[in-house]
Amino acid sequence: MQIHPILNHKKRFLDLLLLADEQESMIDKYLERGDMFALYDGDLKSICVITQESADLYEIKNIATVEKYQGKGYGKSLIQYILEYYKNKCTTIQVGTGESDLTIPFYESCGFRYSHRIANFFIDNYDHPIFDRDKQLIDMIYLKYYYKK
Ligand SMILES: CC(C)(COP(=O)(O)OP(=O)(O)OC[C@H]1O[C@@H](n2cnc3c(N)ncnc32)[C@H](O)[C@@H]1OP(=O)(O)O)[C@@H](O)C(=O)NCCC(=O)NCCS
């Protein structure tokens, strides 16, 4: 398994990024300023984009594993790599997600804990309703990982 930083032509991963964030104009808001990492195990398995939000805070903006490879540990391996990579660069990493029982347990299993919610985020910021299976996503749920220093 290898993890590479991706510095150029980040849009070539758009299909995978859209799995996690289905509106391209929202991806455009963070893609260029974000750090991108790609996990390969033979072929591409997972992608992640992370941004610096303030001196001590980074935010995972997008993480996705190719559908047929989900549930095999690749997403968690990529998060573990990122937690190690940023450990001397900040005190906290946060991630925002819809109120989904597909994603919140994933982040919890990676050591993130509930922080706060932004009401109506998906209604206010997306141009169409966003669904997780048959449940409409309304609020953005933030989880945080705190480094022990
Ligand atoms: C969320 C996602 C990135 C997880 O990546 P993955 O490679 O499938 O996850 P992993 O196989 O590494 O799973 C890691 C852990 O999360 C848990 N997990 C993953 N998906 C889960 C689910 N749907 N329900 C409960 N637990 C889940 C696994 O059981 C595992 O826990 P463990 O290590 O304690 O056994 C992937 O499912 C995905 O790409 N989803 C679509 C895009 C998306 O929704 N991205 C997040 C946007 S906020």
Side-chain angles (χ1 to χ4, degrees), residues 1 3 39 72-82 106 110:
M1 197 185 309
I3 295 172
L39 183 152
K72 298 183 187 302
Y74 291 117
K76 191 170 191 173
S77 296
L78 187 50
I79 296 260
Q80 283 167 343
Y81 177 89
I82 280 161
F106 165 71
C110 296

Short mmCIF file of all heavy atoms in Angstrom, two decimals, residues 1 3 39 72-82 106 110:
data_model
loop_
_atom_site.label_atom_id
_atom_site.label_comp_id
_atom_site.label_asym_id
_atom_site.label_seq_id
_atom_site.Cartn_x
_atom_site.Cartn_y
_atom_site.Cartn_z
N MET A 1 0.85 -1.19 0.00
CA MET A 1 0.00 0.00 0.00
C MET A 1 0.88 1.25 0.00
O MET A 1 1.85 1.31 0.75
CB MET A 1 -0.86 -0.02 1.28
CG MET A 1 -2.02 0.89 1.22
SD MET A 1 -2.94 0.98 2.77
CE MET A 1 -3.25 -0.71 3.19
N ILE A 3 0.86 5.70 -0.24
CA ILE A 3 0.06 6.93 -0.20
C ILE A 3 0.92 8.06 -0.77
O ILE A 3 2.05 8.26 -0.33
CB ILE A 3 -0.39 7.24 1.24
CG1 ILE A 3 -1.35 6.13 1.69
CG2 ILE A 3 -1.07 8.62 1.31
CD1 ILE A 3 -1.75 6.15 3.13
N LEU A 39 -4.39 6.99 -2.02
CA LEU A 39 -3.91 5.68 -1.54
C LEU A 39 -4.04 4.68 -2.68
O LEU A 39 -5.13 4.51 -3.25
CB LEU A 39 -4.74 5.23 -0.34
CG LEU A 39 -4.33 3.91 0.33
CD1 LEU A 39 -4.71 3.92 1.81
CD2 LEU A 39 -4.92 2.69 -0.35
N LYS A 72 -12.81 -2.39 3.33
CA LYS A 72 -11.62 -3.25 3.38
C LYS A 72 -10.48 -2.59 4.15
O LYS A 72 -9.35 -3.07 4.12
CB LYS A 72 -11.15 -3.59 1.96
CG LYS A 72 -12.18 -4.37 1.15
CD LYS A 72 -11.63 -4.73 -0.22
CE LYS A 72 -12.68 -5.36 -1.12
NZ LYS A 72 -13.28 -6.57 -0.59
N GLY A 73 -10.76 -1.46 4.80
CA GLY A 73 -9.74 -0.83 5.64
C GLY A 73 -8.95 0.28 4.97
O GLY A 73 -8.10 0.91 5.60
N TYR A 74 -9.21 0.55 3.68
CA TYR A 74 -8.40 1.57 2.98
C TYR A 74 -8.68 2.98 3.52
O TYR A 74 -7.75 3.77 3.71
CB TYR A 74 -8.66 1.52 1.48
CG TYR A 74 -8.12 0.28 0.83
CD1 TYR A 74 -8.96 -0.65 0.20
CD2 TYR A 74 -6.75 0.01 0.85
CE1 TYR A 74 -8.46 -1.80 -0.39
CE2 TYR A 74 -6.23 -1.13 0.27
CZ TYR A 74 -7.09 -2.04 -0.35
OH TYR A 74 -6.59 -3.18 -0.93
N GLY A 75 -9.95 3.30 3.75
CA GLY A 75 -10.28 4.65 4.24
C GLY A 75 -9.63 4.91 5.59
O GLY A 75 -9.05 5.96 5.82
N LYS A 76 -9.71 3.92 6.46
CA LYS A 76 -9.11 4.08 7.79
C LYS A 76 -7.59 4.22 7.69
O LYS A 76 -6.99 5.03 8.39
CB LYS A 76 -9.49 2.89 8.68
CG LYS A 76 -9.14 3.09 10.13
CD LYS A 76 -9.75 2.00 10.98
CE LYS A 76 -9.64 2.31 12.45
NZ LYS A 76 -10.37 1.34 13.26
N SER A 77 -6.96 3.45 6.81
CA SER A 77 -5.50 3.56 6.63
C SER A 77 -5.12 4.96 6.16
O SER A 77 -4.11 5.53 6.61
CB SER A 77 -5.00 2.55 5.59
OG SER A 77 -5.21 1.25 6.04
N LEU A 78 -5.93 5.52 5.27
CA LEU A 78 -5.63 6.87 4.77
C LEU A 78 -5.79 7.91 5.89
O LEU A 78 -4.96 8.80 6.04
CB LEU A 78 -6.55 7.18 3.58
CG LEU A 78 -6.28 8.47 2.80
CD1 LEU A 78 -4.82 8.62 2.42
CD2 LEU A 78 -7.16 8.52 1.55
N ILE A 79 -6.84 7.77 6.69
CA ILE A 79 -7.02 8.70 7.83
C ILE A 79 -5.86 8.56 8.81
O ILE A 79 -5.32 9.56 9.30
CB ILE A 79 -8.35 8.41 8.56
CG1 ILE A 79 -9.53 8.67 7.63
CG2 ILE A 79 -8.44 9.21 9.86
CD1 ILE A 79 -10.26 9.98 7.80
N GLN A 80 -5.44 7.32 9.09
CA GLN A 80 -4.32 7.13 10.04
C GLN A 80 -3.05 7.80 9.51
O GLN A 80 -2.30 8.42 10.26
CB GLN A 80 -4.10 5.64 10.29
CG GLN A 80 -5.15 5.08 11.23
CD GLN A 80 -5.18 3.56 11.30
OE1 GLN A 80 -4.64 2.88 10.43
NE2 GLN A 80 -5.83 3.03 12.32
N TYR A 81 -2.83 7.69 8.20
CA TYR A 81 -1.67 8.34 7.58
C TYR A 81 -1.76 9.85 7.77
O TYR A 81 -0.78 10.53 8.13
CB TYR A 81 -1.62 7.98 6.10
CG TYR A 81 -0.51 8.66 5.34
CD1 TYR A 81 0.75 8.07 5.23
CD2 TYR A 81 -0.72 9.89 4.73
CE1 TYR A 81 1.77 8.70 4.54
CE2 TYR A 81 0.30 10.53 4.04
CZ TYR A 81 1.54 9.93 3.95
OH TYR A 81 2.54 10.56 3.26
N ILE A 82 -2.94 10.39 7.55
CA ILE A 82 -3.15 11.84 7.65
C ILE A 82 -2.98 12.32 9.09
O ILE A 82 -2.35 13.36 9.36
CB ILE A 82 -4.52 12.21 7.04
CG1 ILE A 82 -4.34 12.25 5.53
CG2 ILE A 82 -5.07 13.52 7.57
CD1 ILE A 82 -5.58 12.15 4.73
N PHE A 106 -17.77 5.58 10.83
CA PHE A 106 -16.43 5.47 10.22
C PHE A 106 -15.46 6.44 10.90
O PHE A 106 -14.38 6.04 11.34
CB PHE A 106 -16.52 5.74 8.71
CG PHE A 106 -15.19 5.99 8.08
CD1 PHE A 106 -14.27 4.97 7.92
CD2 PHE A 106 -14.84 7.27 7.64
CE1 PHE A 106 -13.02 5.20 7.35
CE2 PHE A 106 -13.61 7.52 7.07
CZ PHE A 106 -12.69 6.48 6.93
N CYS A 110 -12.15 5.97 13.64
CA CYS A 110 -10.81 6.54 13.39
C CYS A 110 -10.38 7.47 14.53
O CYS A 110 -9.34 8.13 14.43
CB CYS A 110 -10.81 7.30 12.07
SG CYS A 110 -11.10 6.27 10.62
#
